[in-house]
């Protein structure tokens, strides 16, 4: 594989804004991507879901931009834009024709520096309603829609920053006030708690000059979040489980594991172990449960990288009708034991690395995803060059390291199981219990 | 936010410079947007192999992952009516073992070089997708050849995929959006039309599919002469046509092969203009799907107004539907509208899910927006939509997979990305009158409406709306 090497230049403004620029002149567009170091892990008790609700308010106008105009003026300039919120961060991004880059910077600077003038009770109420519908659509009215919420609540202890999902709870969304919006902006939003990346058809000098022009005047008002401060969370020492009977089409099990934080060799090794176990079409568990014993109709496994001292590994499996889910769970545990005993074969390692290479290069093919990865690793791991070094790091992982990671993090006794089971004669849609009842029996 | 598509905007006021302080930092004047460079959608180099396979190649420097898309217009209407879904089972078992390799061996061969291969059947036919690093192109092409020319369709793998499809049917039924779509097609099309039933078959037909059925369907319908292979990626230092010829030049049709007959028109049901409620007690939202006939790509007057209309009505939080239902009323996370050309018999779809207790008002307002659009659109709206669709094109067609996907979708229709370029040029000259005329050509207020939700909460009021006959069916 010819090693990829995307150009990368970096500068930090006096107000603390970290700026990264990667020139790419193959297409006459530019991506502007901003990571703010605030996510659902930073939310306080009684305000779950707030980071995401706040993200919606960022589209409702700022001092010089009327409500809705951020969207409409970038769309009219040929921009594609969005934002998203996750445990560790909130990101804002647009890809625009290069002649609209300065407009994008002006709009972003206005909302990242001067949002509060425009926030109104009416906007808050409206976006609260929209977010509640988002929650209903994606989680409450979907089969298995709340399964990942239950995974987080089962594997992370009560009070841990990753214990609750980014979408939050209806009660907490309901409780959010304008005062919360002001306090949240003051604490988390500002150039000194953000990373800004530009990728595309612009020179480094032009890009730095434009960013300086629009973001340079913003004062460093945020409380800068220090990365790496969350203590490691060790693996579970005994299995925990949460069972939910509901009107789902088939039994589905989620087996979750605490992995090391992202940005570490141990995390890469554990991720490759998960690929080998269940992430590929030729994986051991797929071969046994899906192809050979045909007790499952599908099985997947993947690592979910997080920055705060712990990541998540997930194996999910759809149980074939009339098969006892306990049989399926036992087979998965046997494969975990077998892997822990012997580690991967060279052929398995080769496949896991090859699949990682292809998916990484596919992801970086577009300017937008490339910009997001640069921001990601700059903001959370102080390593913006990760996009160029990642594949070398993956190829350097040895079979022995994967074996070691599996014995440290992927043992049957380290699993948290969330089981969504078909309710006999269930009428109507699923009516999930509230989060509190989920936590009761399972908190560690 | 949900959407990355958007809608037009009013003229923007220009902010004035002001003096700042620590509390109120200086803001610069709103920057002007400088004009975009002219953009041409990539067009392919076309090549035809001796066996009839059409190859469309797109050299895209810097795209190190090659995207290949094989489009074969397999006629699903030719599936035996009691075996519907056999084409889908065939597609899913093409890579589950070949003359020389078991299913597991084949999966390992793919993955040891990071070859991502997928296959499926849609309304237009069979599609096979490969994404692979440039240096493994020849390797991937040889595996594609094996899938196409010597699939083994092992008995156990066919049975497994039948069971998986049966489970998938139940999963689809449990998802409100899927359930709404299935009910829409069965209401909208006449029961005699294949399009009134799921492409992947129903439980009672899928359950009867055997290995022999799969083998026979493959022999009868899979051949190179109607097929198009799209390849996009960085071709520096390699000869992709030579590679493809070496791999697939020997692919020939089986003796049982029958070239696809002309595609029959799908009859719309005579009673399609009605409201069907799929009753799901305790649903916290209602899924709404509204539709009526729409154009295909060859419609008189041109296709170009229709992507624009979808965008103006249901493309973003600023589109007409979301401006009202999301940003004003807060009833929904988002409502989307689009004209779907299909190969023929296009459909205009609008869908979204709304808060359960707002179902009636949401449907009334939604139909109102769609009906009122017959009055037309302002020049300003049209201009903004045109700008969005034309100016985003360079970014939308910047990667190998995006170009390959577009090219393959058009290949079933006998078109290439030259059509995409033509549409963009037509859009650039679009005016409000043409847009309004195009909309009125199809939209006459006669809607097929499907609601998936808790009928008890709204059924009486839905009837009182008086829009159309209402029936209730179980979930």
């Amino acid at each position: 594989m010819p090693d990829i090497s995307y150009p990368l230049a970096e500068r930090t403004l006096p107000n603390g804004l970290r700026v990264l620029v990667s020139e790419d002149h193959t297409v006459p567009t530019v991506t502007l991507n901003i990571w703010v170091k605030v996510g659902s892990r930073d939310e306080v008790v009684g305000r779950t879901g707030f980071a995401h609700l706040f993200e919606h308010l960022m589209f409702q106008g700022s001092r010089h931009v009327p409500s809705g105009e951020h969207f409409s003026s970038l769309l009219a300039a040929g921009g594609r834009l969005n934002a998203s919120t996750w445990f560790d961060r909130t990101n804002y991004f647009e890809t625009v024709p290069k002649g609209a880059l300065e407009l994008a910077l002006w709009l972003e600077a206005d909302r990242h520096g001067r949002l509060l003038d425009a926030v109104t009770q009416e906007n808050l109420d409206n976006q609260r309603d929209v977010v509640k519908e988002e929650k209903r659509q994606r989680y409450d009215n979907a089969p298995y829609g709340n399964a990942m919420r239950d995974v987080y609540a089962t594997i992370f202890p009560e009070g841990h920053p990753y214990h609750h999902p980014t979408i939050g709870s209806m009660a907490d969304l309901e409780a959010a006030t304008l005062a919360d919006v002001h306090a949240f902006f003051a604490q988390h939003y500002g150039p000194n708690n953000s990373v800004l990346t530009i990728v595309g058809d612009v020179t480094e000098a032009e890009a730095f000059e434009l960013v300086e022009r629009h973001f340079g005047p913003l004062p460093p008002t945020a409380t800068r979040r220090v990365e790496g401060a969350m203590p490691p969370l060790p693996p579970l020492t005994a299995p925990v489980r949460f069972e939910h009977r509901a009107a789902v089409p088939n039994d589905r099990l989620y087996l979750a594991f605490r992995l090391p934080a992202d940005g570490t060799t141990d995390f890469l090794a554990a991720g490759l172990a998960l690929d080998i176990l269940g992430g590929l079409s030729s994986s051991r568990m797929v071969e046994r449960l899906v192809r050979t014993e045909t007790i499952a109709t599908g099985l997947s496994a993947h690592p979910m990288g997080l920055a705060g001292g712990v990541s998540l590994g997930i194996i999910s499996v759809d149980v074939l009708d009339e098969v006892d889910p306990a049989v399926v769970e036992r087979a998965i545990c046997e494969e975990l034991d077998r892997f822990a005993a012997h580690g991967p074969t060279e052929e398995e390692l080769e496949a896991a690395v090859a699949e990682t290479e292809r998916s990484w290069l596919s992801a970086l093919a577009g300017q937008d995803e490339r910009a997001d990865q640069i921001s990601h690793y700059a903001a959370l791991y102080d390593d913006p060059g990760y996009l160029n070094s990642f594949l070398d790091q993956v190829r350097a992982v040895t079979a022995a390291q994967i074996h070691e990671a599996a014995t440290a993090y992927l043992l049957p006794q380290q699993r948290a199981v969330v089981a969504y089971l078909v309710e006999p004669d269930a009428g109507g849609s699923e009516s999930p219990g509230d989060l509190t009842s989920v936590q009761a029996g399972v908190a560690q | 936010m949900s959407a990355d598509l958007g809608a037009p905007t009013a003229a923007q006021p220009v902010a004035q410079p002001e003096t700042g302080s620590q509390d109120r930092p200086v803001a610069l004047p709103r920057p002007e947007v400088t004009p975009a460079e002219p953009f041409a959608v990539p067009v392919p180099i076309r090549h035809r192999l001796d066996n009839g396979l059409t190859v469309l190649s797109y050299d895209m420097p810097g795209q190190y992952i090659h995207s290949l898309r094989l489009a074969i217009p397999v006629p699903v209407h030719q599936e035996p009516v009691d075996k519907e879904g056999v084409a889908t089972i065939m597609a899913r078992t093409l890579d589950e073992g070949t003359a020389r390799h078991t299913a597991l061996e084949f999966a390992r061969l793919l993955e040891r070089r990071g070859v991502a291969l997928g296959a499926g059947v849609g309304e237009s036919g069979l599609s096979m997708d490969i994404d692979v690093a440039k240096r493994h192109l020849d390797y991937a092409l040889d595996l594609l050849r094996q899938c196409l020319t010597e699939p083994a369709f092992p008995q156990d793998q066919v049975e497994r995929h039948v069971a998986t499809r049966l489970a998938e049917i139940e999963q689809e039924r449990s998802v409100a959006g899927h359930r709404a779509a299935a009910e829409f097609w069965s209401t909208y099309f006449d029961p005699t039309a294949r399009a009134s039933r799921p492409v992947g078959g129903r439980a009672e037909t899928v359950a009867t599919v055997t290995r022999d059925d799969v083998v026979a369907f493959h022999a009868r319908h899979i051949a190179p002469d109607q097929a198009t292979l799209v390849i996009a990626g960085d071709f520096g230092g390699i000869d992709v046509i030579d590679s493809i010829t070496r791999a697939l030049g020997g692919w020939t049709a089986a003796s049982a092969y029958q070239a696809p007959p002309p595609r029959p028109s799908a009859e719309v049901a005579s009673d399609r203009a009605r409201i069907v409620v799929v009753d799901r007690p305790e649903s916290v939202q209602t899924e709404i799907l509204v539709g009526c006939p729409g154009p295909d790509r060859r419609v008189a007057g041109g296709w170009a107004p229709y992507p624009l209309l979808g965008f103006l009505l249901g493309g973003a939080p600023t589109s007409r539907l979301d401006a009202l239902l999301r940003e004003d009323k807060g009833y929904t996370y988002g409502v989307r509208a689009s004209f779907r050309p299909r190969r023929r018999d296009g459909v205009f779809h609008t869908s979204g899910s709304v808060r359960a207790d707002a179902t009636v008002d949401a449907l009334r307002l939604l139909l109102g927006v769609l009906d009122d659009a017959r009055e037309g659109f302002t020049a300003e709206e049209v201009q903004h939509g045109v700008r969005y669709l034309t100016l985003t094109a360079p970014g939308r067609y910047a990667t190998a997979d995006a170009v390959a996907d577009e090219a393959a979708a058009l290949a079933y229709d006998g078109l290439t990305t030259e059509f995409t370029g033509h549409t963009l040029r037509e859009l650039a000259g679009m005016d409000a009158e043409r847009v309004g005329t195009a909309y009125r050509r199809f939209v006459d207020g006669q809607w097929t409406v499907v609601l998936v939700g808790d009928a008890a909460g709204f059924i009486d009021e839905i009837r009182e709306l008086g829009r159309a006959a209402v029936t209730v069916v179980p979930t």
Side-chain angles (χ1 to χ4, degrees), chain A residues 240-291:
Chain A
V240 293
R241 65 189 305 115
F242 170 77
E243 291 195 356
H244 179 59
R245 293 208 169 264
V248 290
N250 58 259
D251 295 338
R252 182 182 290 177
L253 306 179
Y254 298 81
L255 281 75
F257 301 84
R258 295 179 187 168
L259 304 184
D262 197 354
T264 61
T265 301
D266 280 357
F267 175 72
L268 290 182
L272 289 167
L274 273 174
D275 281 347
I276 292 165
L277 283 163
L280 308 177
S281 173
S282 62
S283 292
R284 294 174 176 211
M285 291 178 184
V286 176
E287 171 58 15
R288 174 173 168 182
L289 280 76
V290 180
R291 275 215 186 79

Side-chain angles (χ1 to χ4, degrees), chain B residues 189-278:
Chain B
F189 280 118
D190 188 87
T192 58
R194 177 66 179 87
S196 71
R197 302 182 296 277
V199 170
R202 294 154 289 145
E204 59 268 33
T205 62
V206 171
T208 71
V209 171
T210 65
R211 178 180 184 274
D212 287 347
D213 298 326
V214 171
V215 170
F217 193 87
H218 177 266
R220 199 168 299 137
H221 299 295
I222 302 303
D225 75 306
Q226 303 280 324
T228 301
L229 179 66
V230 177
I231 179 167
D234 184 322
F235 296 164
I238 59 173
D239 183 342
V240 295
I241 297 300
D242 181 59
S243 290
I244 291 167
T245 305
R246 275 186 284 118
L248 299 177
W251 174 24
T252 55
S255 56
Y257 175 68
Q258 300 169 350
R263 196 182 167 81
S265 189
E267 293 293 323
V268 171
S270 56
D271 63 347
R272 68 157 186 89
R274 57 197 178 96
I275 298 173
V276 180
V277 177
V278 180

Side-chain angles (χ1 to χ4, degrees), chain A residues 1 64 69 250 281-282, chain B residues 12 18 28 111 135 171 387:
Chain A
M1 177 68 57
H64 302 102
E69 202 176 294
N250 58 259
S281 173
S282 62
Chain B
Q12 311 300 335
E18 59 178 280
L28 298 165
E111 287 176 336
R135 64 183 169 140
Q171 288 176 351
R387 287 176 60 80

Side-chain angles (χ1 to χ4, degrees), chain A residues 1 55 59 64 69 72-73 75-76 82 98-99 106 114 126 133-134 137 250 281-282 290 350 358, chain B residues 1 6 9 12 18 26-28 30 34 37 111 113-114 135 160 171 285 326-327 333 353 387:
Chain A
M1 177 68 57
E55 173 227 301
F59 289 88
H64 302 102
E69 202 176 294
S72 58
S73 54
L75 295 168
N82 214 328
K98 64 181 177 182
W106 182 85
R114 297 176 277 265
N126 166 257
E133 292 319 304
E134 178 178 358
Q137 180 177 331
N250 58 259
S281 173
S282 62
V290 180
E350 183 187 22
R358 195 245 317 127
Chain B
M1 308 299 289
T9 175
Q12 311 300 335
E18 59 178 280
V26 173
L28 298 165
R30 181 192 185 94
T34 57
E37 296 174 2
E111 287 176 336
R113 296 285 180 269
R135 64 183 169 140
R160 176 168 78 78
Q171 288 176 351
Q285 282 189 323
R326 172 181 155 127
E327 297 296 309
Y333 181 44
S353 45
R387 287 176 60 80

Side-chain angles (χ1 to χ4, degrees), chain B residues 49-68:
Chain B
L49 269 49
D50 290 344
N51 62 0
L53 176 67
T54 297
V55 179
L56 303 175
S57 62
Y58 295 85
D59 185 8
M60 300 180 69
Q63 295 290 301
Y64 300 114
I65 299 298
H66 284 194
S67 291
L68 289 80

Side-chain angles (χ1 to χ4, degrees), chain B residues 288-291 321 335-338 348-352 366 370 447:
Chain B
I288 300 178
L289 203 169
V290 169
L321 286 161
V335 175
R336 293 289 161 265
S338 67
F348 174 42
H349 259 182
T350 297
S351 65
L366 183 151
L370 298 181
W447 300 104

